[in-house]
Amino acid sequence: MTDTAKPNDIAKGLEGVVFTESKLTFIDGAQGILTHLGIPIEEWAEKSTFEEVSYALLHTKLPSAAELAQFDAELRANREVPAKLLADVAAYPRTANPMQALRTAISELGLHDAQSEDTSDEARYAISVRLIAQFSTVIAAVARALGGQAAVAPRADLTHAANFLYMLTGKEPTTEQARLFDIALVLHADHGMNASTFTAIATASTLSDMYSCVVSAIGALKGPLHGGANEAVMGMLDEIGTPDKAEAYITAKLDNKEKIMGVGHRVYKNFDPRSRVLRDYAEHVASKEGKSNYYQILETIERIVVERMGSRGIYPNVDFYSGTVYADLGIKKEYFTPIFALARISGWCASVIEYTRDNRLLRPDALYSGATNQHYVELKDRK
Ligand code: COA
């Protein structure tokens, strides 16, 4: 900042700071609108697949049937990861945090990619396709290794979502389970200039390689204010235990000005449209199999939060319902954040490719508020 800058000039948290243009994602937080390429997220969730939304983000257009088939075939052909990587993942300490393990494994994956240091547009695209395909294999292998199980090899005859669930559990999912998981991936594929995408772009702006960008992004996603929130929601539901305790628990938290996980958003000051889609699916599962404790607790929390905080723009966000959907699919809560990464890899890669086509080094400033007019004090003279 210049000498004339004032503390008021500081954009804390970079809120409202626009540093680039993007054709990928539009968000109107006040209205609760999210679109990719101008198409509402509700339509993507209902009609599309993770493979298609990934293509659309990378190419900034909807694919033709032939283009989608070719892209899908490329993803299927790139699912295998080096045996050495799987052996190393199998030897990680069982106590590792899954995101720590994912960060390390993806960094190692780069060591095995002969093209990893190529930062041309073509190479960034080719690496993106491999990363989207291989994130799935690596995350499933991490989950199995940390649980003491051997990795399950990918199958080329399954969709991206079905293959992931197969590699994770060793069992082929039902069509309904695979579709539900696919929708969750579609909903999380991109979300504008969120912290992890911004981090990927900041790394890319130095013209660093794709793997470094993605590893930086994984580190940013790991934090509880970003990717870790749905795991925290499940922790809260377990703590509440039964639906009859939900009202008193949440009321006490709000009275004590404590934060409720899965609620509030930096951008949305209305219902997060992704949470509405997930709530509909959670409701669908609940209507078929009877309302689970989780679902009943969430209903109560939502009612109280909207009553007490809605006027301040605080509503359930995407993480509020995603945990129960994943839990219904038999996924353990420690893997919710890696699954977020499984989807967001597409947004990270597409954003890096878009940004580096018109690159400018990101180098913001800080208002200096430290001491002035000081002199070096010799060590012997310091108190
Ligand atoms: N529960 C209760 N109150 C909340 C809240 C929550 N989850 N989120 C925000 N608020 C309140 C704050 O206490 C604050 O109140 P105050 O003005 O009386 O101090 C006000 O709303 C503004 O909160 P702030 O944290 O400054 O807003 P933000 O834009 O930084 O918040 C989040 C964005 C996501 C960091 C915040 O809502 C949060 O921590 N949510 C829980 C974690 C979560 O679900 N993250 C996933 C996001 S997709």
Side-chain angles (χ1 to χ4, degrees), residues 100-189:
Q100 197 183 19
L102 175 64
R103 191 188 61 212
T104 305
I106 295 301
S107 191
E108 182 178 344
L109 189 63
L111 296 177
H112 295 282
D113 186 338
Q115 211 181 8
S116 64
E117 290 301 298
D118 188 340
T119 55
S120 65
D121 202 47
E122 299 71 34
R124 285 197 192 278
Y125 176 79
I127 294 168
S128 297
V129 174
R130 289 197 285 280
L131 275 168
I132 293 168
Q134 292 170 3
F135 248 54
S136 173
T137 316
V138 171
I139 292 168
V142 162
R144 290 187 68 86
L146 298 185
Q149 292 172 298
V152 171
R155 271 175 49 184
D157 61 322
L158 298 175
T159 64
H160 191 79
N163 176 56
F164 175 75
L165 292 176
Y166 166 70
M167 290 189 295
L168 185 71
T169 63
K171 280 192 306 217
E172 202 178 315
T174 63
T175 310
E176 188 172 34
Q177 286 171 327
R179 179 62 190 140
L180 183 55
F181 189 64
D182 191 30
I183 290 166
L185 293 182
V186 168
L187 291 176
H188 286 85

Coordinates of all heavy atoms in Angstrom, one line a residue, residues 100-189:
Q100 N -4.0 -34.6 4.8 CA -2.6 -34.6 4.8 C -2.0 -35.7 3.9 O -1.1 -35.5 3.1 CB -2.2 -35.0 6.3 CG -0.8 -34.6 6.7 CD -0.6 -35.1 8.2 OE1 -1.4 -36.0 8.7 NE2 0.4 -34.6 8.8
A101 N -2.6 -36.9 3.9 CA -2.2 -38.0 3.1 C -2.5 -37.7 1.6 O -1.7 -37.9 0.8 CB -3.0 -39.3 3.5
L102 N -3.7 -37.1 1.3 CA -4.0 -36.7 -0.1 C -3.0 -35.7 -0.6 O -2.5 -35.8 -1.7 CB -5.4 -36.1 -0.1 CG -5.8 -35.6 -1.5 CD1 -5.9 -36.7 -2.5 CD2 -7.2 -34.9 -1.4
R103 N -2.7 -34.7 0.2 CA -1.7 -33.6 -0.2 C -0.4 -34.3 -0.5 O 0.2 -34.0 -1.6 CB -1.6 -32.6 1.0 CG -0.8 -31.4 0.7 CD -0.6 -30.6 2.0 NE 0.2 -31.4 2.9 CZ 0.1 -31.4 4.3 NH1 -0.8 -30.6 4.9 NH2 0.9 -32.2 5.0
T104 N 0.1 -35.2 0.3 CA 1.4 -35.8 0.1 C 1.3 -36.7 -1.2 O 2.2 -36.7 -2.0 CB 1.7 -36.7 1.3 OG1 1.7 -35.8 2.4 CG2 3.1 -37.3 1.2
A105 N 0.2 -37.5 -1.3 CA 0.1 -38.4 -2.4 C 0.0 -37.7 -3.8 O 0.6 -38.1 -4.8 CB -1.1 -39.3 -2.2
I106 N -0.7 -36.6 -3.8 CA -0.8 -35.8 -5.1 C 0.5 -35.2 -5.4 O 0.9 -35.1 -6.6 CB -1.9 -34.8 -5.0 CG1 -3.3 -35.5 -4.9 CG2 -1.9 -33.9 -6.3 CD1 -3.7 -36.5 -6.0
S107 N 1.2 -34.7 -4.4 CA 2.6 -34.2 -4.7 C 3.5 -35.3 -5.3 O 4.2 -35.1 -6.2 CB 3.1 -33.7 -3.3 OG 4.3 -32.9 -3.6
E108 N 3.4 -36.5 -4.7 CA 4.2 -37.6 -5.2 C 3.7 -38.0 -6.6 O 4.5 -38.3 -7.5 CB 4.1 -38.8 -4.3 CG 4.9 -40.0 -4.8 CD 4.9 -41.2 -3.9 OE1 4.5 -41.1 -2.7 OE2 5.4 -42.2 -4.4
L109 N 2.4 -37.9 -6.9 CA 1.9 -38.3 -8.2 C 2.6 -37.4 -9.3 O 3.0 -37.9 -10.4 CB 0.4 -38.0 -8.3 CG -0.4 -38.5 -9.5 CD1 -0.3 -40.0 -9.6 CD2 -1.8 -38.0 -9.4
G110 N 2.9 -36.1 -8.9 CA 3.6 -35.3 -9.8 C 5.0 -35.8 -10.2 O 5.5 -35.6 -11.3
L111 N 5.6 -36.4 -9.2 CA 7.0 -37.0 -9.5 C 7.0 -38.0 -10.6 O 8.0 -38.2 -11.3 CB 7.6 -37.6 -8.2 CG 7.8 -36.7 -7.0 CD1 8.3 -37.6 -5.8 CD2 8.8 -35.7 -7.3
H112 N 5.8 -38.7 -10.7 CA 5.7 -39.8 -11.7 C 5.2 -39.3 -13.0 O 5.1 -40.1 -13.9 CB 4.8 -40.9 -11.1 CG 5.3 -41.6 -9.9 ND1 6.2 -42.5 -9.9 CD2 4.9 -41.4 -8.6 CE1 6.5 -42.9 -8.7 NE2 5.7 -42.3 -7.9
D113 N 4.9 -38.0 -13.1 CA 4.3 -37.5 -14.4 C 5.4 -36.8 -15.2 O 5.9 -35.7 -14.8 CB 3.1 -36.5 -14.0 CG 2.4 -36.1 -15.3 OD1 3.0 -36.1 -16.4 OD2 1.2 -35.6 -15.1
A114 N 5.8 -37.4 -16.3 CA 6.9 -36.9 -17.1 C 6.6 -35.5 -17.6 O 7.5 -34.7 -17.9 CB 7.2 -37.8 -18.3
Q115 N 5.3 -35.1 -17.6 CA 4.9 -33.8 -18.2 C 4.8 -32.7 -17.1 O 4.4 -31.6 -17.3 CB 3.6 -33.9 -18.9 CG 3.4 -33.0 -20.1 CD 2.0 -33.2 -20.8 OE1 1.2 -34.0 -20.3 NE2 1.9 -32.6 -21.9
S116 N 5.0 -33.1 -15.8 CA 4.6 -32.3 -14.7 C 5.2 -30.9 -14.7 O 4.6 -29.9 -14.2 CB 4.9 -32.9 -13.4 OG 6.3 -33.1 -13.2
E117 N 6.4 -30.7 -15.2 CA 7.1 -29.4 -15.2 C 6.7 -28.5 -16.4 O 7.1 -27.4 -16.6 CB 8.6 -29.6 -15.2 CG 9.1 -30.1 -13.8 CD 8.7 -29.2 -12.7 OE1 9.1 -28.0 -12.6 OE2 7.9 -29.6 -11.8
D118 N 5.9 -29.1 -17.3 CA 5.5 -28.4 -18.5 C 4.3 -27.4 -18.2 O 3.3 -27.9 -17.8 CB 5.1 -29.4 -19.6 CG 4.9 -28.7 -21.0 OD1 4.6 -27.5 -21.0 OD2 4.9 -29.5 -22.0
T119 N 4.5 -26.1 -18.3 CA 3.5 -25.2 -17.9 C 2.8 -24.6 -19.2 O 2.1 -23.6 -19.1 CB 4.0 -24.1 -17.0 OG1 5.1 -23.5 -17.7 CG2 4.5 -24.6 -15.7
S120 N 2.9 -25.3 -20.3 CA 2.2 -24.8 -21.5 C 0.7 -25.0 -21.3 O 0.3 -25.9 -20.5 CB 2.7 -25.5 -22.8 OG 2.3 -26.9 -22.7
D121 N -0.1 -24.3 -22.1 CA -1.6 -24.5 -22.0 C -2.0 -25.9 -22.3 O -2.8 -26.5 -21.6 CB -2.2 -23.5 -23.0 CG -3.6 -23.2 -22.7 OD1 -3.9 -22.8 -21.5 OD2 -4.5 -23.3 -23.6
E122 N -1.3 -26.5 -23.3 CA -1.7 -27.9 -23.7 C -1.4 -28.9 -22.6 O -2.1 -29.8 -22.2 CB -0.9 -28.3 -25.0 CG -1.2 -27.5 -26.2 CD -0.6 -26.1 -26.2 OE1 0.5 -25.9 -25.6 OE2 -1.2 -25.2 -26.7
A123 N -0.2 -28.7 -22.0 CA 0.2 -29.6 -20.9 C -0.7 -29.4 -19.7 O -1.1 -30.3 -19.0 CB 1.7 -29.3 -20.5
R124 N -1.0 -28.1 -19.3 CA -1.9 -27.9 -18.2 C -3.2 -28.6 -18.4 O -3.8 -29.2 -17.5 CB -2.2 -26.4 -18.0 CG -1.0 -25.6 -17.4 CD -1.5 -24.3 -16.9 NE -0.4 -23.4 -16.5 CZ 0.3 -23.4 -15.4 NH1 0.1 -24.3 -14.5 NH2 1.3 -22.5 -15.2
Y125 N -3.7 -28.6 -19.7 CA -5.0 -29.3 -19.9 C -4.8 -30.8 -19.8 O -5.6 -31.5 -19.1 CB -5.5 -29.0 -21.3 CG -6.8 -29.8 -21.6 CD1 -8.0 -29.4 -21.1 CD2 -6.7 -30.9 -22.4 CE1 -9.1 -30.1 -21.4 CE2 -7.9 -31.7 -22.6 CZ -9.1 -31.3 -22.1 OH -10.2 -32.0 -22.3
A126 N -3.8 -31.4 -20.4 CA -3.5 -32.8 -20.3 C -3.4 -33.3 -18.9 O -3.9 -34.3 -18.5 CB -2.3 -33.2 -21.2
I127 N -2.6 -32.5 -18.1 CA -2.4 -32.9 -16.7 C -3.8 -32.8 -15.9 O -4.1 -33.6 -15.1 CB -1.4 -32.0 -16.0 CG1 0.0 -32.2 -16.7 CG2 -1.3 -32.2 -14.5 CD1 1.1 -31.2 -16.3
S128 N -4.6 -31.8 -16.3 CA -5.9 -31.7 -15.6 C -6.7 -32.9 -15.8 O -7.4 -33.4 -14.9 CB -6.6 -30.4 -16.2 OG -5.9 -29.3 -15.9
V129 N -6.8 -33.4 -17.0 CA -7.6 -34.6 -17.3 C -7.1 -35.8 -16.4 O -7.8 -36.5 -15.8 CB -7.5 -35.0 -18.8 CG1 -8.2 -36.3 -19.1 CG2 -8.2 -33.9 -19.6
R130 N -5.7 -35.9 -16.4 CA -5.2 -37.0 -15.6 C -5.5 -36.8 -14.1 O -5.8 -37.7 -13.4 CB -3.7 -37.1 -15.8 CG -3.2 -37.6 -17.1 CD -1.8 -38.1 -17.1 NE -0.8 -37.0 -17.1 CZ -0.5 -36.3 -18.2 NH1 -1.0 -36.6 -19.4 NH2 0.4 -35.4 -18.1
L131 N -5.4 -35.5 -13.6 CA -5.6 -35.3 -12.2 C -7.1 -35.6 -11.9 O -7.4 -36.2 -10.8 CB -5.3 -33.8 -11.9 CG -3.8 -33.5 -11.6 CD1 -3.5 -32.0 -11.5 CD2 -3.5 -34.1 -10.2
I132 N -8.0 -35.2 -12.7 CA -9.4 -35.4 -12.4 C -9.6 -36.9 -12.3 O -10.3 -37.4 -11.4 CB -10.3 -34.8 -13.5 CG1 -10.2 -33.2 -13.4 CG2 -11.8 -35.2 -13.3 CD1 -10.9 -32.5 -14.6
A133 N -9.1 -37.7 -13.3 CA -9.3 -39.1 -13.3 C -8.6 -39.8 -12.0 O -9.1 -40.6 -11.4 CB -8.7 -39.7 -14.5
Q134 N -7.3 -39.3 -11.7 CA -6.5 -40.0 -10.7 C -6.8 -39.6 -9.3 O -6.5 -40.3 -8.3 CB -5.1 -39.9 -11.1 CG -4.7 -40.6 -12.3 CD -3.4 -40.4 -12.9 OE1 -2.6 -39.6 -12.3 NE2 -3.1 -41.0 -14.0
F135 N -7.4 -38.4 -9.1 CA -7.8 -38.0 -7.7 C -8.7 -39.1 -7.1 O -8.6 -39.4 -5.9 CB -8.6 -36.7 -7.8 CG -7.9 -35.5 -7.2 CD1 -6.6 -35.2 -7.6 CD2 -8.4 -34.7 -6.2 CE1 -5.9 -34.1 -7.1 CE2 -7.8 -33.7 -5.6 CZ -6.5 -33.4 -6.0
S136 N -9.6 -39.6 -7.9 CA -10.5 -40.6 -7.5 C -9.7 -41.8 -7.0 O -10.0 -42.3 -5.9 CB -11.4 -40.9 -8.7 OG -12.2 -42.0 -8.5
T137 N -8.8 -42.3 -7.8 CA -8.0 -43.5 -7.4 C -7.2 -43.2 -6.1 O -7.1 -44.1 -5.2 CB -7.1 -43.9 -8.6 OG1 -7.9 -43.8 -9.8 CG2 -6.5 -45.3 -8.4
V138 N -6.6 -42.1 -6.1 CA -5.7 -41.7 -4.9 C -6.5 -41.6 -3.7 O -6.2 -42.1 -2.6 CB -4.9 -40.4 -5.2 CG1 -4.2 -40.0 -4.0 CG2 -3.9 -40.7 -6.4
I139 N -7.7 -40.9 -3.7 CA -8.5 -40.7 -2.5 C -9.0 -42.1 -2.0 O -9.0 -42.3 -0.8 CB -9.6 -39.7 -2.8 CG1 -9.0 -38.3 -3.0 CG2 -10.6 -39.7 -1.6 CD1 -10.0 -37.3 -3.5
A140 N -9.5 -42.9 -2.9 CA -10.0 -44.2 -2.5 C -8.8 -45.0 -1.9 O -9.0 -45.7 -0.8 CB -10.6 -45.0 -3.7
A141 N -7.6 -45.0 -2.5 CA -6.5 -45.7 -2.0 C -6.1 -45.2 -0.6 O -5.7 -46.0 0.3 CB -5.3 -45.6 -2.9
V142 N -6.1 -43.9 -0.4 CA -5.8 -43.3 0.9 C -6.8 -43.8 1.9 O -6.4 -44.2 3.0 CB -5.8 -41.7 0.8 CG1 -5.9 -41.1 2.2 CG2 -4.6 -41.2 0.1
A143 N -8.1 -43.7 1.6 CA -9.1 -44.1 2.6 C -8.9 -45.6 3.0 O -9.0 -46.0 4.1 CB -10.5 -43.9 2.0
R144 N -8.6 -46.4 2.0 CA -8.4 -47.9 2.3 C -7.2 -48.1 3.1 O -7.1 -48.9 4.0 CB -8.5 -48.7 1.0 CG -9.9 -48.7 0.4 CD -10.0 -49.6 -0.8 NE -9.9 -51.0 -0.4 CZ -11.0 -51.8 0.0 NH1 -12.2 -51.3 0.1 NH2 -10.8 -53.0 0.3
A145 N -6.1 -47.4 2.7 CA -4.8 -47.6 3.4 C -4.9 -47.2 4.8 O -4.4 -47.9 5.7 CB -3.7 -46.9 2.7
L146 N -5.5 -46.0 5.1 CA -5.6 -45.6 6.5 C -6.5 -46.4 7.3 O -6.4 -46.5 8.5 CB -6.0 -44.1 6.5 CG -5.0 -43.1 5.8 CD1 -5.5 -41.7 6.1 CD2 -3.6 -43.3 6.3
G147 N -7.4 -47.1 6.6 CA -8.3 -48.1 7.3 C -7.7 -49.5 7.3 O -8.4 -50.4 7.7
G148 N -6.5 -49.7 6.9 CA -5.8 -51.0 6.9 C -6.2 -51.9 5.8 O -6.0 -53.1 6.0
Q149 N -6.8 -51.4 4.7 CA -7.2 -52.3 3.6 C -6.4 -52.0 2.4 O -5.9 -50.9 2.1 CB -8.7 -52.0 3.3 CG -9.7 -52.4 4.4 CD -11.1 -51.9 4.1 OE1 -11.3 -50.7 3.9 NE2 -12.0 -52.8 3.9
A150 N -6.3 -53.0 1.5 CA -5.5 -52.9 0.3 C -6.4 -52.1 -0.7 O -7.6 -52.1 -0.7 CB -5.3 -54.3 -0.3
A151 N -5.7 -51.4 -1.6 CA -6.3 -50.6 -2.6 C -7.1 -51.5 -3.6 O -6.7 -52.6 -3.8 CB -5.3 -49.8 -3.4
V152 N -8.2 -50.9 -4.1 CA -9.0 -51.7 -5.1 C -8.7 -51.0 -6.4 O -8.8 -49.8 -6.6 CB -10.5 -51.6 -4.8 CG1 -11.4 -52.1 -5.9 CG2 -10.8 -52.3 -3.4
A153 N -8.4 -51.8 -7.4 CA -8.0 -51.2 -8.8 C -9.3 -50.6 -9.4 O -10.4 -51.1 -9.3 CB -7.4 -52.3 -9.6
P154 N -9.1 -49.5 -10.2 CA -10.2 -48.9 -10.8 C -10.8 -49.8 -11.9 O -10.1 -50.6 -12.5 CB -9.6 -47.6 -11.4 CG -8.1 -47.9 -11.5 CD -7.8 -48.8 -10.4
R155 N -12.1 -49.6 -12.2 CA -12.7 -50.3 -13.3 C -13.1 -49.3 -14.4 O -13.7 -48.3 -14.1 CB -14.0 -51.0 -12.8 CG -13.7 -52.4 -12.3 CD -14.8 -53.1 -11.7 NE -16.0 -53.0 -12.5 CZ -17.2 -53.5 -12.1 NH1 -17.3 -54.1 -10.9 NH2 -18.3 -53.4 -12.8
A156 N -12.8 -49.6 -15.7 CA -13.0 -48.7 -16.8 C -14.5 -48.8 -17.2 O -14.9 -47.9 -18.0 CB -12.1 -49.0 -17.9
D157 N -15.2 -49.8 -16.8 CA -16.6 -49.9 -17.2 C -17.6 -49.1 -16.4 O -18.8 -49.1 -16.7 CB -17.0 -51.4 -17.3 CG -17.0 -52.0 -15.9 OD1 -16.0 -51.7 -15.1 OD2 -17.9 -52.8 -15.6
L158 N -17.1 -48.4 -15.3 CA -18.1 -47.7 -14.5 C -17.9 -46.2 -14.7 O -16.8 -45.7 -15.1 CB -17.7 -48.0 -13.0 CG -17.9 -49.5 -12.5 CD1 -17.4 -49.6 -11.1 CD2 -19.4 -49.9 -12.7
T159 N -19.0 -45.4 -14.3 CA -18.9 -44.0 -14.4 C -17.9 -43.5 -13.4 O -17.5 -44.2 -12.4 CB -20.2 -43.3 -14.1 OG1 -20.6 -43.6 -12.8 CG2 -21.3 -43.8 -15.1
H160 N -17.5 -42.2 -13.4 CA -16.6 -41.6 -12.5 C -17.1 -41.8 -11.0 O -16.3 -42.3 -10.2 CB -16.4 -40.2 -12.8 CG -15.2 -39.5 -12.1 ND1 -13.9 -39.7 -12.5 CD2 -15.2 -38.8 -10.9 CE1 -13.1 -39.0 -11.6 NE2 -13.9 -38.5 -10.7
A161 N -18.3 -41.5 -10.8 CA -18.9 -41.6 -9.5 C -19.0 -43.0 -9.0 O -18.6 -43.4 -7.9 CB -20.3 -40.9 -9.4
A162 N -19.5 -43.9 -9.9 CA -19.7 -45.3 -9.5 C -18.3 -46.0 -9.2 O -18.2 -46.7 -8.3 CB -20.4 -46.1 -10.6
N163 N -17.3 -45.6 -10.1 CA -16.0 -46.2 -9.9 C -15.4 -45.8 -8.6 O -14.7 -46.6 -7.9 CB -15.1 -45.8 -11.1 CG -13.7 -46.3 -10.9 OD1 -13.5 -47.5 -10.7 ND2 -12.7 -45.4 -10.9
F164 N -15.6 -44.5 -8.2 CA -15.0 -44.1 -6.9 C -15.6 -44.9 -5.8 O -14.9 -45.4 -4.9 CB -15.2 -42.6 -6.7 CG -14.8 -42.2 -5.4 CD1 -13.4 -42.0 -5.1 CD2 -15.7 -41.9 -4.3 CE1 -12.9 -41.7 -3.8 CE2 -15.2 -41.6 -3.0 CZ -13.9 -41.5 -2.8
L165 N -17.0 -45.0 -5.8 CA -17.6 -45.7 -4.7 C -17.2 -47.2 -4.7 O -16.9 -47.8 -3.6 CB -19.1 -45.6 -4.8 CG -19.7 -44.2 -4.5 CD1 -21.2 -44.2 -4.8 CD2 -19.4 -43.7 -3.1
Y166 N -17.0 -47.7 -5.9 CA -16.5 -49.1 -6.0 C -15.1 -49.2 -5.4 O -14.8 -50.1 -4.6 CB -16.5 -49.6 -7.4 CG -15.7 -50.8 -7.7 CD1 -16.2 -52.0 -7.2 CD2 -14.5 -50.8 -8.4 CE1 -15.5 -53.2 -7.4 CE2 -13.8 -51.9 -8.6 CZ -14.3 -53.1 -8.1 OH -13.5 -54.3 -8.3
M167 N -14.2 -48.3 -5.7 CA -12.8 -48.4 -5.2 C -12.8 -48.1 -3.7 O -11.9 -48.6 -3.0 CB -11.9 -47.4 -5.9 CG -11.6 -47.7 -7.4 SD -10.4 -46.6 -8.1 CE -11.2 -45.0 -8.0
L168 N -13.7 -47.3 -3.2 CA -13.7 -47.0 -1.8 C -14.2 -48.1 -1.0 O -13.6 -48.5 0.1 CB -14.6 -45.8 -1.6 CG -14.7 -45.2 -0.2 CD1 -13.4 -44.5 0.2 CD2 -15.8 -44.2 0.0
T169 N -15.3 -48.8 -1.4 CA -15.9 -49.8 -0.6 C -15.6 -51.2 -1.0 O -15.8 -52.2 -0.3 CB -17.4 -49.6 -0.6 OG1 -17.9 -49.9 -2.0 CG2 -17.9 -48.3 -0.2
G170 N -15.1 -51.4 -2.3 CA -14.9 -52.7 -2.8 C -16.2 -53.4 -3.4 O -16.2 -54.5 -3.8
K171 N -17.3 -52.6 -3.3 CA -18.6 -53.1 -3.8 C -19.1 -52.1 -4.8 O -19.1 -50.9 -4.7 CB -19.6 -53.1 -2.6 CG -19.5 -54.4 -1.7 CD -20.7 -54.5 -0.8 CE -21.0 -53.2 -0.1 NZ -21.4 -53.3 1.3
E172 N -19.8 -52.7 -5.9 CA -20.3 -51.9 -6.9 C -21.6 -51.2 -6.3 O -22.4 -51.9 -5.8 CB -20.7 -52.7 -8.1 CG -20.8 -51.9 -9.4 CD -21.1 -52.8 -10.6 OE1 -20.5 -53.8 -10.7 OE2 -22.0 -52.4 -11.3
P173 N -21.7 -49.8 -6.4 CA -22.9 -49.2 -5.9 C -24.1 -49.4 -6.7 O -24.0 -49.8 -7.9 CB -22.5 -47.7 -5.9 CG -21.5 -47.6 -7.0 CD -20.8 -48.9 -7.1
T174 N -25.3 -49.2 -6.1 CA -26.5 -49.3 -6.9 C -26.5 -48.1 -7.9 O -25.8 -47.1 -7.6 CB -27.8 -49.2 -6.0 OG1 -27.8 -48.0 -5.4 CG2 -27.8 -50.4 -5.0
T175 N -27.4 -48.1 -8.9 CA -27.5 -47.0 -9.8 C -27.9 -45.7 -9.0 O -27.4 -44.6 -9.3 CB -28.6 -47.3 -10.9 OG1 -28.3 -48.6 -11.4 CG2 -28.6 -46.3 -12.0
E176 N -28.8 -45.9 -8.1 CA -29.3 -44.7 -7.3 C -28.2 -44.1 -6.4 O -28.0 -42.9 -6.4 CB -30.5 -45.1 -6.4 CG -31.1 -43.9 -5.8 CD -32.4 -44.2 -5.1 OE1 -32.6 -45.3 -4.5 OE2 -33.3 -43.3 -5.1
Q177 N -27.4 -45.0 -5.8 CA -26.3 -44.5 -5.0 C -25.3 -43.8 -5.8 O -24.8 -42.7 -5.5 CB -25.6 -45.7 -4.3 CG -26.3 -46.3 -3.1 CD -25.7 -47.6 -2.6 OE1 -25.1 -48.3 -3.4 NE2 -25.8 -47.8 -1.3
A178 N -24.9 -44.4 -7.0 CA -24.0 -43.7 -7.9 C -24.5 -42.4 -8.4 O -23.7 -41.4 -8.5 CB -23.7 -44.6 -9.1
R179 N -25.7 -42.3 -8.7 CA -26.3 -41.0 -9.2 C -26.3 -40.0 -8.1 O -26.0 -38.8 -8.3 CB -27.7 -41.3 -9.8 CG -28.4 -40.1 -10.3 CD -27.7 -39.4 -11.5 NE -28.2 -38.1 -11.8 CZ -27.5 -37.1 -12.2 NH1 -26.2 -37.1 -12.3 NH2 -28.1 -35.9 -12.4
L180 N -26.7 -40.4 -6.9 CA -26.7 -39.5 -5.8 C -25.3 -38.9 -5.5 O -25.1 -37.7 -5.4 CB -27.2 -40.2 -4.5 CG -27.4 -39.4 -3.2 CD1 -28.3 -38.2 -3.5 CD2 -27.9 -40.2 -2.1
F181 N -24.3 -39.8 -5.6 CA -22.9 -39.3 -5.4 C -22.5 -38.4 -6.5 O -21.8 -37.4 -6.3 CB -22.0 -40.5 -5.3 CG -20.6 -40.1 -4.8 CD1 -20.4 -39.6 -3.6 CD2 -19.5 -40.3 -5.7 CE1 -19.1 -39.2 -3.2 CE2 -18.3 -40.0 -5.3 CZ -18.1 -39.4 -4.0
D182 N -22.9 -38.8 -7.8 CA -22.6 -38.0 -8.9 C -23.1 -36.5 -8.8 O -22.4 -35.5 -9.0 CB -23.2 -38.6 -10.2 CG -22.7 -38.0 -11.5 OD1 -21.5 -37.5 -11.5 OD2 -23.4 -38.0 -12.5
I183 N -24.4 -36.4 -8.3 CA -25.0 -35.1 -8.1 C -24.2 -34.3 -7.0 O -23.9 -33.1 -7.2 CB -26.4 -35.3 -7.6 CG1 -27.3 -35.8 -8.8 CG2 -27.0 -33.9 -7.1 CD1 -28.7 -36.3 -8.4
A184 N -23.7 -35.0 -6.0 CA -22.9 -34.3 -4.9 C -21.6 -33.8 -5.6 O -21.2 -32.6 -5.3 CB -22.6 -35.2 -3.8
L185 N -21.0 -34.5 -6.5 CA -19.8 -34.1 -7.2 C -20.1 -32.9 -8.1 O -19.3 -31.9 -8.1 CB -19.2 -35.2 -8.0 CG -18.6 -36.4 -7.2 CD1 -18.0 -37.4 -8.2 CD2 -17.6 -36.0 -6.2
V186 N -21.2 -33.0 -8.8 CA -21.6 -31.9 -9.7 C -21.7 -30.6 -8.9 O -21.2 -29.5 -9.2 CB -22.9 -32.2 -10.4 CG1 -23.5 -31.0 -11.1 CG2 -22.7 -33.3 -11.5
L187 N -22.4 -30.7 -7.7 CA -22.7 -29.5 -6.9 C -21.4 -28.9 -6.4 O -21.4 -27.7 -6.1 CB -23.6 -29.9 -5.7 CG -25.0 -30.3 -6.0 CD1 -25.7 -30.7 -4.7 CD2 -25.8 -29.1 -6.7
H188 N -20.4 -29.7 -6.2 CA -19.1 -29.1 -5.6 C -18.0 -28.8 -6.6 O -16.9 -28.4 -6.2 CB -18.6 -30.1 -4.6 CG -19.4 -30.2 -3.3 ND1 -20.5 -31.0 -3.1 CD2 -19.2 -29.6 -2.1 CE1 -21.0 -30.8 -1.9 NE2 -20.2 -30.0 -1.3
A189 N -18.3 -29.0 -7.9 CA -17.2 -29.0 -8.9 C -16.5 -27.6 -9.0 O -15.3 -27.5 -9.2 CB -17.7 -29.4 -10.3

